[in-house]
Amino acid sequence: MQFHGPQMLEFQEKGDERGHLIVCEGEGQDIPFDIKRIFYIYGTASGVIRGQHANRETEFVIINVAGTSKIRVRDGKGNEAVFTLNRPRTGVYIPRMIWKDMYDFSEDSVMLCLASEHYKPDEYIRNYEDFLKAVQEENPEV
Ligand code: TYD
């Protein structure tokens, strides 16, 4: 499986008459990395924007295991996309150095985040101008 840029992923479903079961294997099977950390976000009001950061090192896969939300991604080179998360069997892959905003959370939203790295606050870029500068430094030709 190839993973180029932010993209929607569809996971294997192993459901049967007893109900649904979604499998999300790491290390390049369903997602491109070995999962080192998970966290989940719930109880966020619909008007709130979360995220608003980019990560120098960490890749993520973000899944709404319940409810719905949206994610806007920007690469700092003029490209942006909006993904709607509204099914437990889909997720969005977000590579490193992508600015992300999560918003439009439904009341029942539970957003599960799978991360490739342990938490290190200093690899988060929380200022958009700093993000643009860091993109320029990595891509001097752009
Ligand atoms: P934050 O990154 O602001 O959340 P979001 O991505 O939803 O905007 O994190 C909120 C708080 O939780 C902040 O104090 C840092 C802390 N935190 C951890 O301690 N470990 C983690 O893995 C994450 C994602 C956050």
Side-chain angles (χ1 to χ4, degrees), residues 37-39 41 44 49-53 60 100 102 105 111 113 115 117-121 124 126:
R37 170 169 59 118
I38 71 164
F39 53 95
I41 293 167
T44 292
I49 304 176
R50 298 198 65 124
Q52 299 189 283
H53 45 57
F60 295 93
K100 50 207 169 303
M102 290 94 96
F105 293 88
M111 174 182 268
C113 304
E117 307 298 331
H118 294 297
Y119 185 61
K120 275 192 277 168
Y124 278 69
R126 291 181 180 271

Side-chain angles (χ1 to χ4, degrees), residues 91-110:
V92 176
Y93 168 57
I94 303 181
R96 60 178 288 281
M97 289 301 282
I98 294 290
W99 188 268
K100 50 207 169 303
D101 302 308
M102 290 94 96
Y103 59 100
D104 267 5
F105 293 88
S106 63
E107 218 174 290
D108 59 347
S109 173
V110 182

Side-chain angles (χ1 to χ4, degrees), residues 18 83-84 98 105 115 117 127-128 131 133:
R18 296 170 299 166
F83 296 97
T84 298
I98 294 290
F105 293 88
E117 307 298 331
N127 174 287
Y128 192 68
F131 167 64
K133 261 186 242 156

